[in-house]
Amino acid sequence: MKLLIVDDQARRYGRLVEALLRFGMQRSDIDIVGSAQQAREKLENVPYDLLILDLLLPLWPEDEADTRHSLALLFEIQETDHLHRPSRIIGITADIEVAKNAGPEFEKHTWTLIKYSHDNDEWMNRIGNSVEYMLRNAKVPVADYGVDLVVICALSSPELEQVLKLSWNWSDSPRWLDDTTFVRDGHFVLEGERRITVAATSAPRMGMVTTAIISAKLISLLRPRLIVMCGICAGVRHKVKLGDVLLVDPAWDFQSGKRVKDEENSSFSVAPHQLPVAAIVRTCVQQLQTDRSSLAAMTASFGNDAPGISQIVVGPVASGSAVLADGEVIQEIKGQHRELVGVEMEAYGLYAAAEAASSPKPKAFALKAVCDFADPDKQDGTQKYASFASANVLRILMEKFGSRLLN
């Protein structure tokens, strides 16, 4: 069990810590910090079972204490996905007026708010009872993460081929996970010291259903921290160019809905269910967008056949079960999201599998590079370059931001 105490008066918890050690907790599992910012840093990296939060906190240790900082931290825990959410939160304050003002926020989420007093141990006993209950009724521990990064491609050639050309120490032969699924294992060293494990595979066929099935299987068997799809897609002309790499955010099935009919006409009523990527993924990719030198070097390493220096585009990409080549359907899909930048066949299946996974959930995202514009005007060689670009943008992303993405 992991406990985080956030209070700028840490000394008043000495006897509480002693009591918790008698209950069987380890001192290394109890962290105490004195500001809201320090708490954020802890919650970004560590999943805590219990958070004890003083309602009067400074933002930084040298600042004045204010309830705004505590409530802002609570809002982030509840409404965003970049902080680990503790299983239970206990608020604590010695100020009656602060308790009165903040009480409704705690009641709304069924969190506990207790009053600190230096005259008696009632507050300490209540916390101790809560910890003792959690220790006695702890569930069977969920499985921990396994592989750091899983890469899925829809096509063995050229998509998976380009992933396996990355200098990630790939195994010479595949490893079978079950009767129908195999992966190639690899690894690389991040920042000179952290060994990152990788597994890569391709789906038996293209499409959302197949991708969702194999993604769910890989999540269950390998328990990855990150699961990523690399490959090719169609772009929206005038918004992206050939070779650009798209972060699919959000993804949805553009064919989801129902056909309705009135007395004269029938029409298709869309019902898109959009799934976004995690905020930390979006932020890291947006930072990579500005790294012109890395993208230029990547493009140059491919040779003279590259269509131009690739750019990274973050935007909505729709998934569908059919290959588009008439140039017309993509115009209809743009009606579902005015910022549409691409169309492909698999990403929504990956995102849906990750969203439905049991704990520990991986972060899922797709990097798809533009090889055509879903019209009859195709160019030879663009699939190979697009596969190369998507794989190498993943490589650069992991080299620069892998530690943040894997935490």
Side-chain angles (χ1 to χ4, degrees):
M1 177 177 170
K2 298 285 288 184
L3 166 63
L4 176 62
I5 299 172
V6 187
D7 196 321
D8 58 344
Q9 299 183 53
R11 288 187 176 181
R12 66 187 187 185
Y13 293 93
R15 289 192 300 116
L16 174 64
V17 170
E18 291 178 2
L20 298 182
L21 298 182
R22 290 195 295 270
F23 290 150
M25 288 195 68
Q26 300 296 314
R27 182 61 183 86
S28 59
D29 289 330
I30 304 172
D31 293 329
I32 304 177
V33 297
S35 71
Q37 188 59 35
Q38 291 171 319
R40 286 187 180 88
E41 293 170 1
K42 286 289 188 181
L43 290 166
E44 281 181 352
N45 298 303
V46 182
Y48 289 97
D49 300 285
L50 174 62
L51 169 64
I52 298 174
L53 180 68
D54 183 13
L55 295 189
L56 276 173
L57 276 182
L59 179 59
W60 295 94
E62 66 273 15
D63 295 337
E64 292 293 326
D66 195 296
T67 56
R68 292 178 302 163
H69 307 313
S70 301
L71 294 179
L73 180 61
L74 283 175
F75 178 83
E76 284 186 53
I77 293 171
Q78 183 69 26
E79 302 296 336
T80 68
D81 56 11
H82 66 281
L83 301 180
H84 291 285
R85 293 187 180 95
S87 301
R88 183 172 296 185
I89 298 175
I90 296 176
I92 187 169
T93 184
D95 191 312
I96 296 176
E97 285 302 314
V98 169
K100 186 185 302 183
N101 294 333
E105 183 67 24
F106 276 76
E107 292 175 2
K108 181 170 67 174
H109 300 290
T110 69
W111 296 326
T112 302
L113 180 60
I114 63 178
K115 186 177 182 298
Y116 170 81
S117 173
H118 58 79
D119 296 327
N120 61 69
D121 292 340
E122 176 63 22
W123 66 276
M124 190 176 72
N125 293 335
R126 291 182 63 185
I127 294 175
N129 291 339
S130 180
V131 170
E132 186 177 21
Y133 177 85
M134 294 176 71
L135 288 171
R136 288 182 175 179
N137 294 276
K139 296 180 180 179
V140 176
V142 298
D144 198 0
Y145 286 109
V147 174
D148 291 313
L149 170 64
V150 165
V151 184
I152 303 176
C153 298
L155 301 169
S156 59
S157 177
E159 295 176 340
L160 182 60
E161 287 178 355
Q162 293 298 326
V163 171
L164 295 178
K165 288 182 179 180
L166 300 176
S167 55
W168 284 357
N169 302 292
W170 299 106
S171 59
D172 294 330
S173 58
R175 170 168 65 99
W176 291 90
L177 297 180
D178 59 20
D179 292 342
T180 60
T181 308
F182 69 89
V183 297
R184 289 282 293 276
D185 293 304
H187 70 273
F188 59 93
V189 178
L190 194 61
E191 299 173 348
E193 56 182 28
R194 182 174 179 180
R195 188 176 188 271
I196 305 303
T197 53
V198 190
T201 191
S202 60
R205 59 180 59 86
M206 297 186 297
M208 278 184 292
V209 173
T210 301
T211 299
I213 291 172
I214 193 170
S215 297
K217 185 184 294 188
L218 291 169
I219 291 170
S220 175
L221 295 175
L222 298 178
R223 305 188 313 281
R225 295 178 183 273
L226 293 176
I227 185 165
V228 184
M229 181 160 240
C230 288
I232 61 177
C233 69
V236 176
R237 197 181 290 276
H238 307 308
K239 287 195 173 183
V240 296
K241 66 180 188 303
L242 294 176
D244 283 353
V245 179
L246 314 184
L247 171 67
V248 179
D249 184 31
W252 75 97
D253 178 1
F254 70 81
Q255 296 168 313
S256 175
K258 67 177 181 178
R259 184 161 293 280
V260 295
K261 185 176 182 179
D262 56 24
E263 294 182 356
E264 298 181 357
N265 303 301
S266 65
S267 61
F268 184 71
S269 177
V270 297
H273 173 226
Q274 297 180 353
L275 293 173
V277 300
I280 185 64
V281 174
R282 185 185 313 110
T283 299
C284 290
V285 174
Q286 287 171 335
Q287 290 298 310
L288 197 62
Q289 285 178 304
T290 63
D291 191 349
R292 309 293 185 187
S293 59
S294 292
L295 295 175
M298 178 198 78
T299 304
S301 69
F302 185 80
N304 296 329
D305 293 334
I309 297 177
S310 295
Q311 304 298 321
I312 298 174
V313 178
V314 178
V317 177
S319 299
S321 59
V323 176
L324 305 182
D326 62 3
E328 297 178 2
V329 177
I330 199 168
Q331 299 302 318
E332 298 176 8
I333 301 171
K334 288 170 66 175
Q336 297 182 16
H337 201 305
R338 62 187 179 86
E339 300 297 331
L340 183 77
V341 294
V343 178
E344 51 80 76
M345 298 177 64
E346 293 87 20
Y348 180 76
L350 168 69
Y351 288 21
E355 176 72 13
S358 58
S359 183
K361 287 180 182 286
K363 300 184 187 76
F365 61 97
L367 295 169
K368 292 291 191 91
V370 178
C371 68
D372 60 54
F373 296 103
D375 58 25
D377 184 17
K378 309 289 184 182
Q379 296 186 25
D380 294 336
T382 54
Q383 285 195 358
K384 182 177 180 181
Y385 176 76
S387 299
F388 163 87
S390 66
N392 278 273
V393 165
L394 174 62
R395 172 185 59 80
I396 298 170
L397 181 68
M398 294 303 299
E399 290 173 354
K400 292 184 176 293
F401 303 107
S403 293
R404 287 184 174 273
L405 293 171
L406 291 168
N407 282 337

